[in-house]
Structures are given as structure tokens and as C-alpha cells.
Amino acid sequence: MAASTSQHALVSVKSLCAGANFGLEKRTSQVRFVSVGQCRPGTRKLGLVCSSNSQSSVMEPAQLPLSPQSGSSPKKSSESALILIRHGESLWNEKNLFTGCVDVPLTPKGVDEAIEAGKRICNIPVDVIYTSSLIRAQMTAMLAMMQHRRKKVPIVVHNESEQAHRWSQIYSEETKKQSIPVVTAWQLNERMYGELQGLNKQETADRFGKEQVHEWRRSYDIPPPNGESLEMCAERAVAYFKDQIVPQLVAGKHVMIAAHGNSLRSIIMHLDKLTSQEVISLELSTGIPMLYIFKKGKFIRRGSPSGPSEAGVYAYTRSLAQYRQKLDNMFQ
């Protein structure tokens, strides 16, 4: 029954995405999933998320595609930073409504959370930013980067059409150097909550029962009516992460991802190799950055920077310490 419901929901999601010109990718079938059961108590809380006892996690890096010009893979860097940020509070978070893929902006509190997130990472290098196609994630990314000491300007990349690409070109090489590309991708969108979108969460629990709503929200493979399960969200988010973002890290680029609770849960599940119980109970706070170091083919979780003056973050790696020292010298 669950399998048929999931298949029906997937067809519905594909139809909706096609109507919105999302352009579903064909590579998602290559993703390997973890079998997940019901949530169980007893998981350990590490910093700001419930996770396993392991302080680091490992993942094999994706193979970089061959360069069309050289016919060979770019040189791999020794390490890169990966920053994950869940968007700040949205207007529907504030109203306790199911939001999903409805495009809702941040509240004033959400704006403050994004600014605070930016202060926490203001000494960590960022070369490229990935966000979902939803405004609350994009607002969070932009507001966060406005706090960065390097003062580079985040600029949205428009490749949705040849004309959009041509019209958004920058013709100054110096200006390009002072810019950070922002890539938007529907694959990083929040889980699509189907017929629950726009409903009050408490009223929905009263109508359908707490157990049913809990199953829709917290099970791995059971979607809400005409919506996505976490498994379906993970399929697209992890495939995009492996295909588009991992090659950037392998090439030595420092990456920030501003996205949503479920798309980021999916990526963290992949990075940290979480068990079924851990991914079900995983909670991410809004506006709190999570730092990973990609080094020698491994992702090492370093938790959340508590502020720009925190010494511990910059003791993790020599390159982060050197980058911060460079900023100190530039802006003395």
C-alpha cells in the first residue's frame, strides 16, 4: 500500500514540477538510499542537530567530469569548506502552517537569523553559493553574505535560457573577481507537502489525528496526500549534491548551501551516514550554519561556528586560519 501511494505521489510531484518548468533530472535513479524505519528515542544531540555518536563522517568524492577543453580532470585541492544553512523563520513558520514548496518570504525574525548566520561565517571562505528556487532560502543566502568581511557581492546566475544568460553577463574581469555566483536549483527545494500546504499544523492534527500527521511528517517513505516523502526529497537533493556540488569541492571551491529543513536533512543523512532512527529525529535550527571540511575525499563535520571571533573553528584547519589572518591584514 505504501509503495503504491509513494508511486502515485511521485507521479503527482513530477506533474507539478513539469508545470512549473522545473525540469526534472534523469540521474536521480543512481542514488543509493538507506532503509529507514520509525523514530526511536535515545539519539544523542550533537550541537544543534540530533545525530550519531560519531564526530566525523566519510563519503567517497564524486568523479569530476572531464574538462571539454583539456580532456582531463581539474587538479584536486587539499581541502574545502562546506557550509549548510537552513533558512530563517518564514511568514508561514510564524503562522504554524505547512509551507513545503509554497514561495513564502522571511519574517523580520528570519531576517535577523540570516544576518546572525552571516556573522558566524564571516571569516570562512565562500567561492560559490547554492540555494533552492524559493525566496526564503535566497534571502537567507544574500543576507548572510552581506555580513562577510570579504565584501564580495552575491550575484544570481541566470542560465534558464540563452537570452537570460546573455543579458546577465558581467563584462568587467575586476567586477567578476569581487562577485560570488549564486546558483538556484529546484532540487534543493523543501519537501513538497502536497495537500497539506497552507494548512495549520495543529488543525491538521485535530482533523486527521496526531499519529497520521506524525507519520506524514516523520516517516521516511510515506508521503502526505499528493506530496513527497523524505525519501523522494532525498532522491533529488542528494543526486544534485553529488552531481553539481561535490565536483566544486573536489576542485577546491568553498561552498555554501542555503536551503530547507528536509533537503538539508537529506544531504546530512548522506554525509554523516545516519541510521534510520537518527535521520527521523534530525532537527536543524533556522539560521544556524553547520560547517564541514572536505579533505582527502572525506567530509568531516565541525559543527556550528558560534561567532566570528571563535578561535576553535579556525584551529580546525591551517587554511581557515590563514584565510582569517589574510582578512585581518586586509581590513586592519
Side-chain angles (χ1 to χ4, degrees):
M1 180 66 182
S4 61
T5 304
S6 179
Q7 181 63 31
H8 171 73
L10 179 58
V11 172
S12 300
V13 171
K14 286 184 177 180
S15 300
L16 286 169
C17 291
N21 293 322
F22 282 148
L24 283 164
E25 290 195 344
K26 299 179 180 178
R27 293 179 132 191
T28 53
S29 61
Q30 299 175 358
V31 180
R32 179 172 58 84
F33 292 104
V34 180
S35 176
V36 176
Q38 294 297 318
C39 177
R40 297 179 184 175
T43 55
R44 180 182 176 190
K45 198 163 190 176
L46 291 178
L48 297 160
V49 299
C50 293
S51 187
S52 66
N53 292 331
S54 173
Q55 292 295 319
S56 63
S57 51
V58 179
M59 158 186 167
E60 290 299 323
Q63 181 65 40
L64 265 179
L66 295 180
S67 168
Q69 291 79 18
S70 64
S72 60
S73 298
K75 182 180 179 181
K76 296 181 181 179
S77 174
S78 58
E79 68 178 46
S80 303
L82 171 65
I83 302 167
L84 308 179
I85 304 179
R86 182 185 177 189
H87 66 80
E89 181 188 65
S90 75
L91 286 168
W92 276 16
N93 290 147
E94 183 182 48
K95 295 179 181 294
N96 200 34
L97 305 181
F98 285 101
T99 310
C101 286
V102 179
D103 210 354
V104 178
L106 300 178
T107 62
K109 177 184 175 182
V111 170
D112 290 341
E113 289 177 329
I115 291 172
E116 177 61 28
K119 292 177 180 178
R120 293 182 180 222
I121 61 170
C122 70
N123 288 311
I124 299 175
V126 178
D127 296 315
V128 59
I129 300 170
Y130 288 87
T131 78
S132 75
S133 66
L134 303 175
I135 191 64
R136 58 191 184 272
Q138 295 177 26
M139 289 177 70
T140 298
M142 296 298 188
L143 290 166
M145 283 313 301
M146 287 174 65
Q147 314 308 311
H148 201 280
R149 293 177 67 198
R150 187 62 182 81
K151 301 301 181 184
K152 288 189 176 183
V153 178
I155 297 178
V156 176
V157 175
H158 286 286
N159 285 328
E160 57 267 30
S161 69
E162 182 179 347
Q163 177 174 296
H165 175 74
R166 185 174 66 252
W167 283 18
S168 61
Q169 286 295 294
I170 300 171
Y171 293 94
S172 166
E173 291 302 318
E174 184 58 32
T175 301
K176 286 181 182 179
K177 293 177 183 178
Q178 299 304 317
S179 306
I180 296 180
V182 180
V183 180
T184 62
W186 71 267
Q187 293 91 335
L188 298 175
N189 280 9
E190 178 57 285
R191 177 155 71 108
M192 207 283 277
Y193 270 99
E195 295 175 17
L196 301 187
Q197 292 185 168
L199 299 183
N200 180 276
K201 293 178 181 177
Q202 183 58 53
E203 292 175 358
T204 304
D206 295 340
R207 176 181 174 185
F208 294 100
K210 291 182 179 179
E211 291 186 3
Q212 177 62 78
V213 174
H214 180 79
E215 185 176 62
W216 285 334
R217 294 186 68 188
R218 289 305 183 190
S219 64
Y220 184 67
D221 57 358
I222 301 177
N226 293 313
E228 284 185 306
S229 64
L230 178 57
E231 180 181 28
M232 295 157 70
C233 178
E235 183 176 359
R236 57 174 166 84
V238 174
Y240 185 84
F241 179 80
K242 292 169 69 175
D243 287 349
Q244 303 296 325
I245 299 176
V246 169
Q248 297 279 359
L249 295 164
V250 173
K253 300 294 185 181
H254 305 285
V255 177
M256 184 176 85
I257 304 175
H260 307 266
N262 283 297
S263 55
L264 290 177
R265 285 172 70 204
S266 301
I267 292 172
I268 292 172
M269 178 184 71
H270 177 66
L271 298 180
D272 288 358
K273 301 187 183 300
L274 300 181
T275 67
S276 58
Q277 293 80 19
E278 289 166 338
V279 71
I280 293 300
S281 60
L282 180 64
E283 293 287 351
L284 301 178
S285 300
T286 55
I288 301 295
M290 184 64 62
L291 175 65
Y292 286 79
I293 301 298
F294 180 73
K295 187 174 184 179
K296 297 181 179 179
K298 300 177 182 179
F299 282 98
I300 306 168
R301 191 207 338 221
R302 292 305 189 188
S304 177
S306 62
S309 61
E310 180 189 13
V313 168
Y314 306 101
Y316 290 147
T317 71
R318 179 180 297 178
S319 65
L320 284 185
Q322 290 175 339
Y323 182 78
R324 181 181 177 183
Q325 184 61 52
K326 178 181 178 181
L327 292 179
D328 288 343
N329 293 338
M330 289 176 63
F331 301 108
Q332 280 181 347

